[in-house]
Amino acid sequence: MKTLEKLSFPKLENEFLENILRQLANQHNIIQMFFTRQPSFVFSHLIIHIEKNMDAQQLQQNKWVKKVRKLSQIDVYFIYSERLHHRFSLGHPFIEFYCQPPAIIYQNKESGDSLIITRNWTKYKEKFNVFQERFYNDHDLHKSQIQNLISEGSSNSVFTSYARLIEYDLEYLEELYSGNRSASLNLDERITNLIEYIPDIQKYFVRNSHSKYYLIDLFVKAKEASINDDEAIYKNEMYEAVGIAEQSLYRLIEERFDQLKKLIKKKLFEKQEASCQIDNELKDETLDIAVETILKSLEVEQIYLYHQITYGEKTTYYLMLIAIGSGNEKLRLINQSLKRKTGGKYDFVLISHHRNWIQTNLYQYQSFFANIVQGKHLIYSSSQYHPEFHWEVPHNPYHADLYFYYKPTKDIALQFFTIANNAEANYQGIDYFFSLFFLSFCRTYIFVKTYYLPNYLSNEALWQLCMYADPDIHKYNYMIEQFWTDFFPYLDKHMTLNHKLSKLCKEEVDQMNVIVEKLMRELHNLVIEDGLLLSFEQD
């Protein structure tokens, strides 16, 4: 065995790692070391062939392994001799490529257990095909079992079976990219680990949190329901979404097989080009200012320009943000900043949600978001790897709880009329009822038209969303323009209670009365006359 002083590994170009490998060779029965530098890939690979399984497991847990991986992008993999030779005999493409003779940087000549690959592509081709077909055959078997369960309507069993199939896919991806599978980790952890090798995998799983995923959580709930003999979770609409995610993993495996096949055949590295680049070129200077301003205030993943209207000389941009920590107050401040920067010539309607919130609420709001989250509307993305939503298919939109939005709006209008039409002209509190009615009307109207219930945005933003929901509502805009004071600042002012006397005159109250009357009639026709609430008492 070579001494510490004589061993050198110039190919590594890493003094820290060289010192560790000298020590390893002196203290353990290291048979071979294979190193493949891959500047165009995420990680270079250092495979250390060692005699015993126990030594391989213990050394793999050393802190320096993670340090080298993080700082030098070198993936260190300890593999014991029996496993290495067995995988070679099976034609494992990872071993076939990364353990070629040119990759050997150390070999213990005293050991008779070295792996020396001498076969060419012609001799290896048959083993490669058998290895690949084994995956395809087992995958097809898993898939056919799932289709049978779907036809039987076994909701919990479908999801638990999909969980096993996705686990099977992840095992192959781990094997083909790192040479080793992480059987002790859960699916969330395995997906997160694979992102380092395959950034594209982020596109296929919406996160619940930093390291948890929506679909995996669905699998866990189905498994718990099955174990506890609970009722089915009845998420049939998610079958297609889960199928799409699984098919995406399947495609990644196909691509990796094809990639390794080419590398083995040619014995050289192929340059990897980004399969997708986000075009962040904005459509005009105003949008450039808007995106720049938003990014300074929020942690934004994506921005969609989903609508744009021009009335007179003013253009309104409708932007949806997928972002973190974007409350209504922050959106209001951003809007004020944008109006200052654009000289008041443009309006901006900003709505914002966290990606996981959208995913969780698709059962209610998918019709709205599906029209917005489209490539043609995307004007900014912080990464090309943001996941697509797991859309429900089929999705049947319905107005859940519409009664509980319409009824309060109607009741507020009736309270307003009572005060507005009293003989003593006592209008105390009417401005608050007027503001509350307008907010309630807008949210209910938007919900009826788009199946989306907005947050408590500013009154102006809500009205602009009403015009997005149905441009015909703009016919009432003249009442807002002719209001006796600035309409929206007046409403926003009275969204907060103040203890003071009302100084409204009859003419001002009459204007309010006309607005409430006309808008309430519009909502009544939409909800009651069109039969959306036939099952409720129409009082």
Side-chain angles (χ1 to χ4, degrees):
M1 186 177 292
K2 295 183 179 180
T3 63
L4 290 176
E5 290 74 25
K6 291 182 180 179
L7 282 179
S8 63
F9 307 94
K11 190 175 179 181
L12 291 176
E13 299 177 358
N14 188 312
E15 186 177 352
F16 171 75
L17 184 54
E18 282 190 45
N19 291 333
I20 292 174
L21 295 187
R22 289 192 193 100
Q23 198 169 10
L24 279 175
N26 190 56
Q27 296 177 350
H28 298 273
N29 190 6
I30 305 295
I31 299 173
Q32 290 171 293
M33 298 182 194
F34 303 88
F35 179 70
T36 307
R37 183 174 298 284
Q38 299 191 225
S40 298
F41 293 177
V42 179
F43 292 106
S44 297
H45 288 274
L46 173 61
I47 299 171
I48 301 178
H49 177 192
I50 194 166
E51 184 179 13
K52 296 179 181 178
N53 181 25
M54 184 177 296
D55 290 339
Q57 291 183 19
Q58 289 177 348
L59 290 170
Q60 192 70 56
Q61 301 306 314
N62 283 344
K63 292 182 179 179
W64 66 264
V65 172
K66 292 182 179 179
K67 184 176 180 180
V68 168
R69 192 172 193 271
K70 181 179 180 180
L71 298 180
S72 304
Q73 284 73 53
I74 297 176
D75 200 6
V76 180
Y77 173 35
F78 287 90
I79 183 169
Y80 67 97
S81 193
E82 185 179 343
R83 172 175 286 186
L84 178 65
H85 285 283
H86 176 65
R87 292 189 175 186
F88 171 72
S89 69
L90 293 176
H92 197 304
F94 181 90
I95 300 300
E96 189 73 19
F97 177 68
Y98 289 102
C99 295
Q100 288 287 327
I104 297 174
I105 60 171
Y106 168 79
Q107 184 161 312
N108 183 356
K109 294 181 180 179
E110 298 177 9
S111 173
D113 211 11
S114 297
L115 174 68
I116 305 297
I117 299 177
T118 59
R119 60 193 178 194
N120 57 24
W121 170 252
T122 303
K123 292 182 178 180
Y124 171 66
K125 180 180 179 181
E126 184 177 346
K127 284 188 174 292
F128 177 85
N129 291 338
V130 170
F131 188 94
Q132 187 173 239
E133 283 304 315
R134 187 182 299 116
F135 163 74
Y136 291 138
N137 291 337
D138 290 347
H139 182 277
D140 290 345
L141 182 60
H142 276 292
K143 203 67 178 287
S144 63
Q145 291 172 344
I146 291 173
Q147 293 305 319
N148 291 336
L149 291 171
I150 290 175
S151 64
E152 294 170 5
S154 305
S155 176
N156 290 347
S157 297
V158 170
F159 290 120
T160 53
S161 296
Y162 258 126
R164 287 192 293 271
L165 179 54
I166 283 181
E167 181 178 17
Y168 177 75
D169 292 340
L170 295 177
E171 285 179 356
Y172 263 86
L173 285 172
E174 290 168 343
E175 289 272 7
L176 295 173
Y177 275 94
S178 70
N180 193 24
R181 63 182 62 176
S182 307
S184 62
L185 303 180
N186 60 41
L187 294 182
D188 288 308
E189 293 170 319
R190 297 175 85 163
I191 292 169
T192 300
N193 288 346
L194 277 168
I195 288 172
E196 294 184 283
Y197 297 97
I198 323 165
D200 269 8
I201 208 169
Q202 298 172 87
K203 298 177 181 179
Y204 312 132
F205 295 93
V206 172
R207 293 179 188 265
N208 276 349
S209 61
H210 176 68
S211 57
K212 298 289 183 181
Y213 300 90
Y214 179 84
L215 289 185
I216 307 307
D217 185 53
L218 190 63
F219 296 156
V220 171
K221 290 177 181 176
K223 183 177 181 180
E224 290 173 350
S226 298
I227 293 173
N228 300 324
D229 200 25
D230 292 341
E231 294 182 359
I233 57 176
Y234 295 117
K235 274 282 188 179
N236 301 5
E237 300 87 350
M238 296 304 296
Y239 287 168
E240 183 166 328
V242 177
I244 290 171
E246 191 282 321
Q247 189 62 30
S248 298
L249 294 181
Y250 179 84
R251 180 181 54 78
L252 291 175
I253 295 168
E254 285 187 310
E255 290 175 357
R256 181 59 171 168
F257 269 128
D258 187 58
Q259 182 185 65
L260 285 171
K261 180 179 179 179
K262 291 177 180 177
L263 289 171
I264 293 166
K265 288 177 71 174
K266 297 179 180 179
K267 297 292 190 296
L268 49 84
F269 303 118
E270 294 182 345
K271 294 181 179 180
Q272 302 299 300
E273 297 180 358
S275 60
C276 173
Q277 293 184 346
I278 298 297
D279 184 2
N280 286 332
E281 184 179 349
L282 302 175
K283 296 182 179 180
D284 58 38
E285 186 178 347
T286 304
L287 283 176
D288 199 354
I289 294 171
V291 171
E292 183 181 350
T293 303
I294 291 167
L295 295 183
K296 286 180 179 178
S297 302
L298 293 174
E299 185 179 345
V300 179
E301 292 183 5
Q302 291 174 316
I303 301 176
Y304 291 87
L305 173 66
Y306 62 96
H307 191 55
Q308 179 177 327
I309 57 174
T310 301
Y311 288 115
E313 297 181 356
K314 179 162 286 191
T315 298
T316 301
Y317 295 100
Y318 290 75
L319 302 176
M320 191 190 87
L321 322 178
I322 298 180
I324 299 171
S326 52
N328 292 337
E329 179 61 21
K330 188 162 283 189
L331 293 181
R332 186 184 66 82
L333 294 174
I334 292 173
N335 213 322
Q336 289 179 349
S337 176
L338 287 174
K339 287 188 175 182
R340 287 196 302 271
K341 290 181 178 181
T342 58
K345 296 179 180 179
Y346 302 92
D347 278 337
F348 299 87
V349 180
L350 305 179
I351 59 175
S352 180
H353 295 287
H354 189 278
R355 187 178 297 274
N356 184 55
W357 185 93
I358 296 174
Q359 177 66 62
T360 305
N361 289 276
L362 284 183
Y363 72 98
Q364 283 184 299
Y365 305 142
Q366 179 164 305
S367 295
F368 176 77
F369 288 116
N371 288 327
I372 293 176
V373 182
Q374 299 183 22
K376 63 183 179 181
H377 300 317
L378 183 65
I379 62 170
Y380 170 81
S381 184
S382 63
S383 167
Q384 61 177 325
Y385 299 115
H386 291 307
E388 296 180 4
F389 289 103
H390 306 302
W391 303 110
E392 292 188 352
V393 180
H395 176 74
N396 300 310
Y398 66 102
H399 291 103
D401 299 331
L402 175 57
Y403 175 79
F404 300 104
Y405 304 127
Y406 172 77
K407 184 65 163 58
T409 307
K410 179 180 178 181
D411 289 345
I412 293 163
L414 293 175
Q415 287 178 294
F416 173 87
F417 291 141
T418 299
I419 298 175
N421 299 316
N422 77 85
E424 290 80 16
N426 178 5
Y427 303 130
Q428 193 67 35
I430 196 171
D431 31 22
Y432 301 107
F433 281 110
F434 180 67
S435 300
L436 182 56
F437 166 79
F438 190 84
L439 178 142
S440 301
F441 164 81
C442 288
R443 295 183 80 236
T444 307
Y445 185 84
I446 293 164
F447 183 54
V448 171
K449 288 288 187 177
T450 67
Y451 297 96
Y452 168 68
L453 190 69
N455 291 332
Y456 291 92
L457 304 173
S458 70
N459 286 284
E460 185 173 11
L462 288 171
W463 180 245
Q464 289 166 324
L465 279 174
C466 286
M467 290 190 284
Y468 163 74
D470 187 350
D472 189 55
I473 199 71
H474 185 262
K475 64 188 176 188
Y476 298 115
N477 212 58
Y478 75 93
M479 297 186 298
I480 292 173
E481 294 171 350
Q482 294 175 3
F483 199 66
W484 49 272
T485 187
D486 290 338
F487 186 77
F488 294 112
Y490 177 83
L491 291 178
D492 291 338
K493 176 182 177 183
H494 291 96
M495 292 305 295
T496 304
L497 292 176
N498 290 293
H499 187 189
K500 64 179 184 180
L501 288 172
S502 174
K503 299 180 180 179
L504 295 172
C505 66
K506 187 175 187 308
E507 289 75 16
E508 294 167 344
V509 171
D510 285 344
Q511 280 192 330
M512 292 181 182
N513 197 66
V514 171
I515 292 174
V516 174
E517 195 175 80
K518 289 184 178 294
L519 293 183
M520 193 61 227
R521 187 183 302 120
E522 183 79 21
L523 192 59
H524 173 85
N525 291 337
L526 192 59
V527 175
I528 302 301
E529 297 300 329
D530 288 354
L532 291 179
L533 288 181
L534 288 177
S535 59
F536 291 95
E537 180 183 358
Q538 298 176 13
D539 53 357

